[in-house]
Amino acid sequence: MPKQRITKDMVVSAAFDLARAGGMEVVNVKAIAAALGCSVQPIYSYCDSMEGLRREVEARTRDFIRRFTADRVDRGDLLRSTGRAYAALAREEPNLYKIFMLQQRRGISSLADLYAAEADPRVAGAVARELGISPDRARQLHLHMLIYNIGIGAIFAVTDPGIPAQELFAQQEQAYSAFLKNALEGNEHEI
């Protein structure tokens, strides 16, 4: 039986699968080789460094998360459904959630920088139209929910056996109501 040709995509896929199952800390050359059923040589031939491979796993994680959340977002209720989608991600894929949230973000020195780097600008426009508020208020509301949902997701991702989803969703709903009230009353700080 001829040997299977190992490709770079296979190496990255194996590294992603390992990270998804056990976290980035289990991703190493020997584990990838074992997952692919090959020697370590093909892994080294595709990876200039483990740091480069980790960045590729992070990129694949971002793609996975975009698809995961897009499948769960209700366009008629963007902020709530996005928050629920991130909470579901943290509960169902805690290792990927941690990889995504804990990856280094360079060039971020303010919440405005974070928002520009992480948020889809179309969301604030849709929220502004949906709620009849200014784009600035919608961005601030979106930022508040982004920050809050990252925290809720972190709780889901690091607790064992875990806090019941309904308890955290109720808390998330209270936060949304408070942030929405603030946005509708015009109490804002521009980002």
Side-chain angles (χ1 to χ4, degrees):
M1 181 169 172
K3 284 189 173 185
Q4 177 181 0
R5 175 160 158 67
I6 304 297
T7 65
K8 181 176 183 178
D9 186 62
M10 292 168 68
V11 171
V12 174
S13 291
F16 174 81
D17 291 343
L18 287 165
R20 184 178 184 186
M24 194 66 93
E25 55 275 5
V26 302
V27 177
N28 61 56
V29 174
K30 286 184 180 182
I32 296 167
L36 293 173
C38 68
S39 71
V40 297
Q41 191 279 327
I43 314 314
Y44 284 119
S45 69
Y46 288 120
C47 301
D48 294 332
S49 69
M50 283 306 291
E51 186 57 35
L53 180 60
R54 283 186 177 90
R55 282 192 302 273
E56 295 212 36
V57 170
E58 289 171 353
R60 194 159 289 193
T61 299
R62 282 189 302 276
D63 291 341
F64 177 92
I65 289 171
R66 277 189 208 104
R67 287 189 311 276
F68 185 98
T69 55
D71 290 346
R72 288 158 180 80
V73 168
D74 174 359
R75 297 286 173 210
D77 191 9
L78 281 171
L79 294 180
R80 282 186 180 116
S81 64
T82 300
R84 286 186 214 111
Y86 273 96
L89 171 71
R91 186 177 63 244
E92 296 172 29
E93 299 285 351
N95 291 318
L96 294 182
Y97 186 86
K98 288 181 232 177
I99 290 167
F100 177 68
M101 289 302 159
L102 296 177
Q103 66 185 269
Q104 183 69 44
R105 284 154 170 88
R106 302 196 189 291
I108 305 295
S109 59
S110 69
L111 290 176
D113 291 345
L114 178 69
Y115 186 81
E118 297 293 324
D120 181 341
R122 297 173 296 184
V123 171
V127 168
R129 287 187 300 279
E130 178 185 328
L131 299 175
I133 61 176
S134 73
D136 287 338
R137 288 183 188 169
R139 274 190 298 280
Q140 188 63 45
L141 175 59
H142 189 203
L143 176 63
H144 283 307
M145 290 306 297
L146 178 70
I147 293 167
Y148 193 83
N149 290 325
I150 288 169
I152 289 287
I155 291 168
F156 264 131
V158 301
T159 56
D160 186 31
I163 298 169
Q166 287 312 108
E167 185 178 344
L168 289 179
F169 289 151
Q171 187 66 36
Q172 197 175 36
E173 186 61 31
Q174 287 177 352
Y176 174 74
S177 294
F179 294 143
L180 177 60
K181 180 181 178 195
N182 188 50
L184 293 174
E185 291 174 353
N187 303 326
E188 63 182 91
H189 296 92
E190 286 191 33
I191 57 168

